[in-house]
Amino acid sequence: MIADVAVRLATVADAADIAYMSRDYIEQGLPWRWTVDRVTRTIRDTNTNVVVVGEQGAIAAFGIMFYAEDDAHLLLLAVRGTRQRSGIGSAILLWLEAAARSAGARRIRVESRKDNDAARSFYNEHGYHERVIKAAMYSGMADGICLEKWLGGAA
């Protein structure tokens, strides 16, 4: 299911909401690295798209994608707990994939905690393939899975 929602580019005013969601939904149990300052810098970075669903102060979901030549890296994607499994994450992912194609990306990379079965299933359902397991990938505390998706039939 893909939700019919408005995905928009984030503004600096959204940085705090994004940072706190990262802390609570992605970095839970790890050192908080995606602070308000880091998210603000990322929003201003011309090589990165930061997108959200929802209004300032009431962000339901966000995604951050970095572009380098023909490669894109999905850095973060989170949906607020009360809105999970509603298709909002899929809407954001499809928006970012379309932007990656437009930017000339041939591949999108993303990582997930190894024990995050919901995220791994979500990415697999969207055509991402697990490539490698990295022990202690997250601050030496949690194992990670590296996934990738080739765009346009490239392999």
Coordinates of all heavy atoms in Angstrom, one line a residue, residues 2 6 11 16-17 25 30 49 51 60-61 68 72 88 97 113 121 130 136 147 153:
I2 N 0.5 2.2 -0.8 CA 1.2 3.5 -0.9 C 0.2 4.6 -0.5 O -0.8 4.7 -1.2 CB 1.9 3.7 -2.2 CG1 2.9 2.6 -2.5 CG2 2.5 5.1 -2.3 CD1 3.4 2.6 -3.9
A6 N 1.1 14.1 0.6 CA 2.0 15.2 0.0 C 3.4 15.0 0.6 O 3.6 15.2 1.8 CB 1.4 16.6 0.3
T11 N 12.3 22.0 5.4 CA 12.9 23.3 5.6 C 13.6 23.2 6.9 O 13.5 22.3 7.7 CB 11.8 24.4 5.7 OG1 11.0 24.2 6.9 CG2 10.9 24.4 4.5
A16 N 14.3 20.1 13.8 CA 14.2 19.6 15.2 C 13.3 18.3 15.2 O 13.6 17.3 15.8 CB 13.7 20.6 16.1
D17 N 12.2 18.4 14.5 CA 11.3 17.3 14.4 C 12.0 16.1 13.8 O 11.9 14.9 14.3 CB 10.1 17.6 13.5 CG 9.0 18.5 14.2 OD1 9.1 18.7 15.4 OD2 8.2 19.0 13.4
Y25 N 13.4 6.9 16.8 CA 13.0 5.7 15.9 C 14.1 5.0 15.2 O 14.0 3.8 14.9 CB 12.0 6.2 14.9 CG 10.6 6.6 15.5 CD1 10.3 7.9 15.6 CD2 9.7 5.6 15.9 CE1 9.1 8.3 16.2 CE2 8.5 6.0 16.4 CZ 8.2 7.4 16.6 OH 7.0 7.7 17.2
L30 N 21.4 3.9 20.7 CA 22.8 4.3 20.2 C 23.1 5.7 20.5 O 22.2 6.5 20.8 CB 22.8 4.1 18.6 CG 22.5 2.7 18.1 CD1 22.3 2.8 16.6 CD2 23.6 1.7 18.5
N49 N 18.7 15.4 -0.5 CA 17.3 15.7 -0.4 C 16.8 15.3 1.0 O 17.0 14.1 1.3 CB 16.4 15.0 -1.5 CG 16.4 15.7 -2.8 OD1 16.6 16.9 -2.9 ND2 16.2 15.0 -3.9
V51 N 13.2 15.1 2.8 CA 11.7 15.2 2.5 C 10.9 14.8 3.8 O 11.4 14.0 4.6 CB 11.3 14.4 1.3 CG1 12.0 15.0 0.1 CG2 11.6 13.0 1.4
A60 N 5.0 13.4 10.2 CA 4.6 12.0 10.3 C 5.7 11.1 9.9 O 5.8 10.0 10.3 CB 3.3 11.8 9.5
A61 N 6.6 11.6 8.9 CA 7.6 10.8 8.4 C 8.6 11.7 7.7 O 8.3 12.8 7.3 CB 7.1 9.8 7.4
A68 N 25.8 11.1 -5.0 CA 27.2 11.3 -5.4 C 27.3 10.6 -6.8 O 27.3 9.4 -6.9 CB 28.1 10.7 -4.4
A72 N 23.3 6.8 -5.1 CA 22.5 7.5 -4.1 C 22.6 6.7 -2.8 O 22.6 5.4 -2.9 CB 21.1 7.7 -4.6
I88 N 3.0 5.6 4.2 CA 3.7 6.8 4.2 C 5.2 6.6 3.9 O 5.8 7.3 3.1 CB 3.5 7.6 5.5 CG1 2.1 8.1 5.6 CG2 4.5 8.8 5.5 CD1 1.8 8.7 6.9
E97 N 13.3 7.7 -4.7 CA 13.8 6.9 -5.8 C 13.7 7.7 -7.1 O 14.6 7.6 -8.0 CB 13.1 5.6 -5.9 CG 13.5 4.6 -4.8 CD 12.8 3.3 -4.8 OE1 11.8 3.1 -5.6 OE2 13.2 2.4 -4.0
R113 N 19.6 -1.9 10.8 CA 20.1 -2.8 11.8 C 19.7 -4.3 11.5 O 18.6 -4.5 11.0 CB 19.5 -2.5 13.2 CG 20.0 -1.2 13.8 CD 19.5 -1.1 15.2 NE 19.5 0.3 15.6 CZ 19.4 0.7 16.9 NH1 19.3 -0.2 17.8 NH2 19.4 1.9 17.2
S121 N 12.3 -6.1 5.9 CA 11.1 -6.6 5.1 C 10.6 -5.4 4.2 O 10.4 -5.7 3.0 CB 10.0 -7.1 6.0 OG 8.9 -7.4 5.3
E130 N 19.7 -7.6 0.1 CA 20.7 -7.6 1.2 C 22.0 -8.1 0.6 O 22.1 -9.1 0.0 CB 20.2 -8.4 2.3 CG 19.0 -7.9 3.0 CD 18.5 -8.7 4.2 OE1 19.1 -9.7 4.5 OE2 17.5 -8.2 4.8
A136 N 28.9 -5.2 14.3 CA 29.1 -4.0 15.2 C 29.1 -2.7 14.3 O 29.9 -1.7 14.6 CB 30.4 -4.1 16.0
L147 N 22.1 -2.9 2.1 CA 21.2 -3.3 1.1 C 21.4 -2.4 -0.1 O 21.9 -1.3 0.0 CB 19.7 -3.1 1.5 CG 19.3 -4.0 2.7 CD1 19.3 -3.1 3.9 CD2 17.9 -4.5 2.5
G153 N 17.2 -1.3 -14.3 CA 17.6 -2.6 -14.8 C 19.1 -2.8 -14.8 O 19.6 -3.8 -15.2

